[in-house]
């Protein structure tokens, strides 16, 4: 199980907590790399990274409009 916390200081207030199960899926490496912005690609010029897929089970947080909550 993994948990990701996202905060965007440009969209204050905004915060999300995403929970799920992660798995490595090397068959998706090219697809994920091609979908990344150039700034992210620059961190891995030799393409040694591997795709991690997260099956999301819940999203919780808050934004300017109030609480956010979704569950699978």
């Amino acid at each position: 199980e993994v948990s990701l916390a996202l905060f965007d200081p440009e969209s204050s207030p905004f915060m999300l907590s995403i929970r799920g199960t992660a798995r490595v899926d090397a068959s998706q490496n090219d697809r994920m790399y091609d979908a990344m912005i150039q700034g992210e690609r620059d961190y891995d010029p030799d393409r040694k990274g591997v795709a991690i897929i997260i099956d999301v089970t819940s999203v919780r947080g808050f934004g300017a409009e109030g609480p956010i909550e979704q569950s699978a």
Side-chain angles (χ1 to χ4, degrees):
E1 186 170 302
V2 295
S3 180
L4 305 169
L6 302 173
F7 173 74
D8 184 358
E10 302 292 322
S11 299
S12 189
F14 179 79
M15 193 281 295
L16 287 179
S17 173
I18 302 169
R19 295 181 146 240
T21 303
R23 57 189 162 84
V24 172
D25 187 347
S27 72
Q28 296 296 312
N29 286 356
D30 290 337
R31 181 174 167 230
M32 294 295 104
Y33 191 88
D34 292 343
M36 289 190 304
I37 62 170
Q38 187 60 48
E40 292 294 326
R41 290 181 189 173
D42 292 344
Y43 287 111
D44 188 15
D46 297 327
R47 297 180 77 144
K48 293 183 179 181
V50 64
I52 298 174
I53 308 300
I54 300 173
D55 298 312
V56 176
T57 56
S58 70
V59 177
R60 292 187 175 96
F62 64 88
E65 310 254 331
I68 300 165
E69 186 167 344
Q70 294 181 322
S71 296

